[in-house]
Amino acid sequence: MSSTDGEIGMRDLTDKATQERLEKDVAAVKNDISALTDQITDVLNTFAGAAQKQVHRGYKQARSNIDSAVGDVSERGSAMMEAAEDAASSIGETLEDAIAQRPLATVGLALGLGFLIGVTWRR
């Protein structure tokens, strides 16, 4: 019986040693997983920060482009308004000169236009 007691005692020792070794291995794996999780978190935070900076730069660039385009359109609109005002002023001056040089012809032209408008209005 002593040999079986010795075998049982050896098994208990090897089982305890195996259990301790497994517990150490599990603890090491937990530590490795924790460290890996920290590294992944750091990488994701770095990536998120870089992405946020890129989006911010893109937003600033787009806003600058829009402001520039609006400024260009505004300048073109102002130039067109000035050209229209100059043309209207020029036409007005030309009409004044024509009326001053030929008053009877101007009155005749006005009567003729009035007659044509009246004829087309009747139809």
Side-chain angles (χ1 to χ4, degrees):
M1 269 206 187
S2 98
S3 71
T4 55
D5 287 340
E7 288 177 7
I8 293 174
M10 268 311 247
R11 271 193 226 150
D12 286 343
L13 286 177
T14 55
D15 286 346
K16 286 181 184 179
T18 303
Q19 185 177 359
E20 288 176 4
R21 198 171 348 117
L22 286 176
E23 287 176 358
K24 286 181 184 178
D25 288 346
V26 168
V29 168
K30 284 182 180 180
N31 289 338
D32 290 345
I33 289 173
S34 177
L36 186 60
T37 302
D38 291 342
Q39 289 176 352
I40 290 172
T41 302
D42 290 344
V43 167
L44 289 176
N45 286 338
T46 301
F47 177 73
Q52 185 178 15
K53 286 179 185 177
Q54 186 68 23
V55 167
H56 190 66
R57 268 190 246 126
Y59 171 76
K60 281 185 175 180
Q61 183 66 33
R63 186 169 183 166
S64 173
N65 289 344
I66 289 172
D67 288 344
S68 175
V70 167
D72 290 347
V73 168
S74 176
E75 288 176 13
R76 288 181 187 168
S78 295
M80 290 176 73
M81 281 297 288
E82 288 177 13
E85 288 174 357
D86 290 344
S89 174
S90 175
I91 290 171
E93 289 173 2
T94 303
L95 285 175
E96 285 178 13
D97 290 343
I99 291 170
Q101 289 176 0
R102 299 185 185 143
L104 291 178
T106 305
V107 170
L109 181 64
L111 287 173
L113 285 173
F115 177 74
L116 286 174
I117 291 171
V119 168
T120 55
W121 190 263
R122 278 186 169 174
R123 292 184 182 188

